[in-house]
Amino acid sequence: MIPVKGYDGQVVAVLGLGRSGLSAARSLRAGGAVPVCWDDTPAAREKAEAEGFEVRDLGRDGGFDDVTCLTVSPGIPHLYPAPNPVIARAWAAGVPVDNDIGLFFQSLGTETWDDFDTIPKVVAVTGSNGKSTTAALIHHILVASGRETQLAGNIGRGVLDIDPPGNGGVVVLELSSYQTDLARALTPDVAVFTNLSPDHLDRHGGLGGYFAAKRRLFAEGGPDRAVIGVDENEGRYLVNQLSAGRGDDRVIRVSSGQKLSGPGWDVFARKGFLTEWRKGKQVAAIDLRQVKGLPGAHNHQNACAAYAACRTLGLAPRQIEAAFHSFAGLPHRSQIVAEVGGVTYVNDSKATNVDSALKALLAFDRIRWICGGLQKEGGLEALTPGFDHVVKAYVIGREATQFSLGLQGLDAEICTDMATAVARAAAEAQPGETVLLAPAAASFDQYDNFEKRGEDFIDKVQGLMR
């Protein structure tokens, strides 16, 4: 646990008592603060009371009279589409609003660090797609190289649940826009931006607000090193904002698909090969084509970002390459579930938007594509470049018929549920083909989350082997 500093003897309110909320309350108490907690859900309030926390309705008059700070869970909107009423009351009372990420950065360093030979570091990863895989891959490479490391944030453990890092320890954080948008302290040593595509637009008031939330990770604290994906304009803009000039190697440019050149520090992947260039010279090259845990151009971008981050931490190219080959990938992200009768079954349930689904389509050939769900804004037209890889689509979701209308030019079968889709795809698939779940849609019309959807796919695939 990371005890929260700066609030000894002071009342700090906690809004939202899920994983991060309760974790924040515990860490506040460990640091000497007096947490008062609130959640709209009675069961959550009861759980907090069972741990000895005071529960207070922060929406009532006078709820903030003695409160120094309000800590908010990431799922609670604080500005768009409308501020949560409790947050609006905090504003009116002049109470600063923060989240567990801000408390973490505020509290991580201790006086014991003066005795360390090597000060611990924090690597923070954000972006639209690939941030989970990139963060997990960085952590995996560090573990494989014998470095002390912990993985937390939007993946793994809550940031305040981790152990205080030891001498030379590295904390790897995956941070969503919900987390970076509100944190009052953001001071990673290495910050990584994978890419940007439209997502969570209602929460951020549009694409500009969404990018602004991501940009805060780089603008607020000024990391020692920044690893930036430059395959979109937002990444190129960010590089320009952070670089002092063309040869500034504090910023490492990353790309999948384009060769980068110049006097700075670049890592890019083309035709399955990762290449590192620094000061106009090639430093290293790695063949990614045989790395099973990182299939496709989108995962090659993740590999480049993780490679660059680990290079800033002093790891050698050969160490990183060896770790690539032992990386099994993450559940629900290009996860190979089984190979049955020469047919490969891949679970990419995390492909909840068009951009991530397109990358999944481009990673494989001869695809039996299971898609559909709660469709997001913007339509499906951007998926068209991947249709050449699709033999047939099997559409699930309550609005499967409507979803299929956006798949013009594809042979599409309305299946509605996962069991039917997997059965039909398996019956028609030929050796050498891939049955791919890459929904290009949210899961909430049929499942609690994308993990449940992926687990259902896995269960149905495993049923084929029973």
Side-chain angles (χ1 to χ4, degrees):
M1 179 188 295
I2 306 293
V4 173
K5 299 177 183 177
Y7 298 105
D8 190 22
Q10 301 177 58
V11 176
V12 178
V14 178
L15 177 62
L17 299 175
R19 183 188 70 161
S20 66
L22 273 178
S23 172
R26 296 181 191 115
S27 294
L28 284 160
R29 183 165 61 186
V34 181
V36 296
C37 303
W38 183 251
D39 193 292
D40 291 337
T41 306
R45 298 197 296 266
E46 291 171 5
K47 187 174 181 180
E49 286 180 323
E51 292 194 32
F53 293 112
E54 177 188 345
V55 171
R56 178 192 299 180
D57 185 353
L58 298 170
R60 63 172 172 79
D61 291 341
F64 283 98
D65 284 354
D66 60 345
V67 171
T68 299
C69 176
L70 171 64
T71 299
V72 179
S73 293
I76 298 173
H78 60 273
L79 186 55
Y80 302 112
N84 181 279
V86 172
I87 293 176
R89 280 186 175 270
W91 292 348
V95 173
V97 180
D98 204 347
N99 63 13
D100 63 329
I101 304 301
L103 297 180
F104 168 83
F105 279 110
Q106 173 184 318
S107 308
L108 181 64
T110 69
E111 58 276 0
T112 62
W113 287 20
D114 293 337
D115 299 325
F116 287 160
D117 294 326
T118 304
I119 298 298
K121 291 184 180 294
V122 177
V123 179
V125 182
T126 194
S128 295
N129 300 307
K131 58 184 180 292
S132 296
T133 297
T134 299
L137 182 56
I138 294 169
H139 177 255
H140 173 80
I141 294 166
L142 290 167
V143 169
S145 302
R147 296 284 292 271
E148 179 199 315
T149 179
Q150 298 177 79
L151 180 64
N154 204 42
I155 187 175
R157 301 161 70 185
V159 292
L160 293 170
D161 281 336
I162 68 171
D163 300 322
N167 183 48
V170 181
V171 178
V172 183
L173 302 180
E174 180 205 337
L175 298 181
S176 72
S177 60
Y178 291 8
Q179 294 169 309
T180 59
D181 199 15
L182 194 58
R184 297 174 72 89
L186 282 169
T187 54
D189 298 281
V190 182
V192 180
F193 175 84
T194 57
N195 50 58
L196 195 88
S197 61
D199 209 356
H200 309 305
L201 301 187
D202 58 337
R203 175 67 181 263
H204 297 291
L207 186 60
Y210 177 50
F211 175 56
K214 302 286 189 185
R215 182 179 177 273
R216 291 190 75 248
L217 183 62
F218 303 85
E220 296 297 317
D224 296 333
R225 297 280 189 184
V227 176
I228 310 292
V230 295
D231 291 333
E232 296 87 27
N233 283 331
E234 289 82 3
R236 292 187 279 270
Y237 167 86
L238 196 53
V239 165
N240 187 266
Q241 289 277 297
L242 297 173
S243 299
R246 296 179 66 240
D248 187 354
D249 66 0
R250 295 172 302 172
V251 179
I252 306 175
R253 300 185 303 164
V254 166
S255 175
S256 175
Q258 59 176 316
K259 180 179 180 179
L260 303 177
S261 61
W265 197 349
D266 301 320
V267 179
F268 59 89
R270 291 186 72 210
K271 299 180 180 179
F273 285 86
L274 179 154
T275 305
E276 177 188 2
W277 282 75
R278 193 170 186 184
K279 297 180 180 179
K281 296 181 180 179
Q282 181 174 321
V283 176
I286 297 173
D287 185 352
L288 298 174
R289 294 173 298 176
Q290 302 304 314
V291 180
K292 290 187 176 181
L294 296 166
H298 61 307
N299 275 311
H300 292 176
Q301 183 188 55
N302 300 334
C304 288
Y307 175 96
C310 289
R311 291 287 283 140
T312 71
L313 299 173
L315 273 65
R318 288 186 179 180
Q319 288 178 289
I320 300 171
E321 180 177 8
F324 279 169
H325 286 281
S326 59
F327 182 65
L330 288 179
H332 316 298
R333 298 162 176 87
S334 297
Q335 176 190 12
I336 297 176
V337 174
E339 293 183 10
V340 182
V343 177
T344 302
Y345 293 81
V346 177
N347 167 27
D348 206 332
S349 184
K350 184 62 172 65
T352 59
N353 58 42
V354 167
D355 184 68
S356 56
L358 174 60
K359 289 174 179 175
L361 292 179
L362 295 175
F364 303 96
D365 293 315
R366 298 172 58 195
I367 296 169
R368 301 280 174 174
W369 178 29
I370 299 176
C371 57
L374 190 61
Q375 190 172 337
K376 296 185 177 181
E377 295 179 11
L380 303 176
E381 185 177 353
L383 288 166
T384 305
F387 286 179
D388 287 346
H389 293 239
V390 178
V391 178
K392 184 176 177 179
Y394 304 83
V395 188
I396 63 174
R398 294 179 184 172
E399 303 296 330
T401 300
Q402 182 65 32
F403 190 95
S404 69
L405 295 178
L407 306 179
Q408 295 297 321
L410 281 185
D411 180 10
E413 180 176 338
I414 307 301
C415 295
T416 306
D417 60 79
M418 187 69 72
T420 303
V422 171
R424 293 291 301 137
E428 297 182 346
Q430 302 296 313
E433 295 182 344
T434 298
V435 175
L436 170 68
L437 171 65
S443 59
F444 306 124
D445 60 331
Q446 293 182 310
Y447 301 93
D448 290 341
N449 48 53
F450 73 84
E451 291 96 340
K452 293 294 184 184
R453 177 172 58 192
E455 290 164 6
D456 191 21
F457 174 76
I458 293 170
D459 179 68
K460 300 303 184 291
V461 171
Q462 290 176 341
L464 301 173
M465 298 180 286
R466 294 183 189 129

